[in-house]
Amino acid sequence: MQLTSSFKLVFLKQMLRGFLLSDASSNSMSFHERKNAIKLSADAAIAFARGRTRWSQGLITNLSKNEKNKEILKSLLGREYDNLRKPCGNSLKIPRSKKILRRCLRMCSRRKKAGRAQHICKSILAKALAKKRIQVLKKLVPGGESMDGFSLLDETLDYAMSLKAQVDVMRRLLKTSKASLNIKQMKAWGQGGLDFTAGGHL
Amino acid sequence: MEPPRSSGVGIDNSGEYSPEIAETLRFEEEIQSLIHPSSFDGSAAPTGGGSFTALLGLPANQAVELLHDSGAREPLASRIRVGGHPVHRPFHLPLDCSSAFPSNATLVDRAARFSVFAAEGSPASSSGRLKAEPQDSDSPPLDPIPTGPAKRKDTGRSKCDVRLSLSFKSQAKATAKKSKNAEENTDGDKLPYVHVRARRGQATDNHSLAERARREKINVRMKLLQELVPGCSKITGTALVLDEIINHVQTLQRQVEFLSMRLAAVNPRIDFSSLDSYLSAECGPVTVRNGPGGVVVDPSLWPTDATAEATRRLLVPQFWHIDLVPPQLQPQQSLTTWERDGAAHSQLLPNPTTSLFLYDPANSGNANVPHLTAKLKTAEDRALNL
């Protein structure tokens, strides 16, 4: 389906490009900065690899709010940057006044409770619960506030799969980089103490 | 029935109405797919933004509007005849007696309107994927449940007509079921028409129909999400499933954070700088590998492999070939480090190690190699010094 290897490859490639661009491998940054740079590259890469979806656009919009990241994002994403940034974002927040909503719900429930069976109240309760959770989900999914219930669920699905792919690739990258380090270590030690003292300090 | 037919023909004659013709063509495509359900696979469906999501984002009132269009009913076949496809004749009879179709003009008008709606650029892959998923997940339970899923599938199919059987004729239902079964394996065009079928004995007023349409939509999506999230399929109830989904998404996000932290810890040791030349070449490692030695590594290997791991695995022996012949050092070094990175499988790791060690003594006799190994060593020292 979506988690094809080509998708993961595109993601990996973009992420590594991002590492280069943000100079994540240099020593000049602090640990925290480096982590942020890596995360930025990873997020931008996954959004790029996915193409134009609501959540990827929302993600890029959120990332570009930080001015520093804009440059990196621009050079990383190239042409896609404008495409991904253009629409929605949180500007399309559907304005809902809580008071009005509460009043509506109360009135509806009162009206329905007046002459109806028990199960209607339960359904209202269930709806309220679901609504709460949908709100939480909206905060989780990037760009979620401007989506309605249906598209939110779609985007969640999409987003969850992309996150899975992201985690998978990053984990593998981590594993292999650690392994390659081990190899270097072994090489260094294998070649005797000279290398070790000279430069093989790990 | 003559006037509607003539109107159908009339539309065909009026060449300037491009949305109508487009719609007719799409309609024909879809009809063809109905006839040849097996030949259709999910990826073949046209995209153009009229995706599953756009489709199901159709607001309820418009769906209801569609339902209530009681213009001149025109049988399906006549419109097909407009397109001149005699093969659609067999469908003439069943569809004729089953449902009511809105007139051509109004339909086409709506199609034009909704094409804007649908052209909002949902990605092809998402529509393809989502189409595939309903097919997989929905087709088993669909058969026992007669009417509700028909709507669900139909929305995914995006037929051009709204089939509203307000009259509960068993024949209508039978034919509808037949056509629904035929459609099950197909993916129609992406026109955002909502099919709603009223169940026997259920209320058929606007409100409840719209409600039902909404509920069906939500149920489809919840099902998909349930399949995605592990361990969620046994849970019943929307709120609990949503809980699980939220949990899952939060977990994944935290994992990404954590992994990026760990990568940050590991990262400075890895010399990524020399990967630039490699990465800038799109899928053509040729530019990097064709050094003075002219080692030919199959560039098509990289993108076309089945899995990323397989690709990397294949690359490993290739790279060790390159070791023998010295291209420019930077790409060389980058390739070796990259390759070690790429050896995703832990099983592979002993191999690179051994081969590296093997090559060193083996190459000692070679004139090129001392140069090479010296450079390798300095590069490694540089990397280690970081």
Side-chain angles (χ1 to χ4, degrees), chain A residues 6-23:
Chain A
S6 54
F7 174 69
K8 288 185 182 172
L9 274 177
V10 171
F11 165 61
L12 179 65
K13 191 179 133 194
Q14 280 298 112
M15 184 165 72
L16 291 173
R17 273 187 67 207
F19 288 170
L20 288 175
L21 283 170
S22 58
D23 205 15

Side-chain angles (χ1 to χ4, degrees), chain B residues 31 66 113 116 160 224 229 236 250 262 279 282 291 316 373:
Chain B
I31 295 296
L66 283 173
R113 235 194 295 151
V116 173
C160 304
L224 291 174
V229 177
T236 49
Q250 271 179 339
R262 288 176 70 187
L279 292 175
E282 179 54 20
V316 172
T373 48

Side-chain angles (χ1 to χ4, degrees), chain A residues 2 5 12-13 16 20 34-35 39 50 52 133 140 150 154 158-159 171-172 176 178-179 181 199, chain B residues 53 123 125-126 129 218 221 239 243 253 255 257 262 264 272 282 306 309 312 338 341 343 349 385:
Chain A
Q2 179 187 334
S5 62
L12 179 65
K13 191 179 133 194
L16 291 173
L20 288 175
R34 212 181 305 136
K35 174 208 148 205
K39 186 149 192 295
R50 188 59 192 88
R52 262 196 256 179
R133 284 160 175 85
L140 275 186
F150 306 123
D154 282 336
D158 211 69
Y159 183 57
R171 207 181 264 154
R172 280 204 211 143
T176 57
K178 272 196 168 168
L181 271 186
Chain B
T53 54
S125 58
S126 110
R129 173 181 53 81
I218 291 187
R221 288 169 165 140
D243 264 345
Q253 283 178 338
Q255 273 183 339
E257 283 265 349
R262 288 176 70 187
F272 278 126
E282 179 54 20
E309 296 181 12
R312 291 163 179 163
W338 169 240
D341 292 348
L349 294 176
N385 275 335

Side-chain angles (χ1 to χ4, degrees), chain B residues 212-363:
Chain B
R212 211 175 310 136
R214 259 189 81 245
R215 248 183 287 140
E216 293 296 337
K217 276 191 246 175
I218 291 187
N219 283 342
V220 171
R221 288 169 165 140
M222 293 297 293
K223 221 187 216 180
L224 291 174
L225 280 168
Q226 270 184 312
E227 283 178 11
L228 176 72
V229 177
C232 211
S233 38
K234 303 203 188 84
I235 303 179
T236 49
T238 316
L240 294 172
V241 169
L242 281 176
D243 264 345
E244 281 298 313
I245 291 165
I246 288 173
N247 207 358
H248 189 64
V249 170
Q250 271 179 339
T251 310
L252 286 173
Q253 283 178 338
R254 258 185 253 132
Q255 273 183 339
V256 169
E257 283 265 349
F258 189 55
L259 278 171
S260 63
M261 204 171 66
R262 288 176 70 187
L263 273 174
V266 166
N267 208 6
R269 317 297 183 91
I270 307 253
D271 187 16
F272 278 126
S273 57
S274 45
L275 284 171
D276 197 12
S277 54
Y278 173 70
L279 292 175
S280 56
E282 179 54 20
C283 289
V286 195
T287 55
V288 173
R289 294 178 207 183
N290 279 345
V295 175
V296 177
V297 179
D298 188 7
S300 59
L301 223 60
W302 179 245
T304 61
D305 253 350
T307 64
E309 296 181 12
T311 310
R312 291 163 179 163
R313 222 178 292 145
L314 278 166
L315 283 175
V316 172
Q318 304 281 2
F319 278 110
W320 300 127
H321 266 292
I322 295 174
D323 269 348
L324 293 176
V325 188
Q328 315 127 19
L329 176 67
Q330 281 296 37
Q332 167 70 35
Q333 177 61 15
S334 73
L335 289 175
T336 51
T337 50
W338 169 240
E339 202 22 61
R340 280 186 233 122
D341 292 348
H345 262 287
S346 49
Q347 315 162 354
L348 286 174
L349 294 176
N351 294 341
T353 328
T354 52
S355 48
L356 181 58
F357 289 139
L358 263 178
Y359 275 121
D360 276 342
N363 295 340

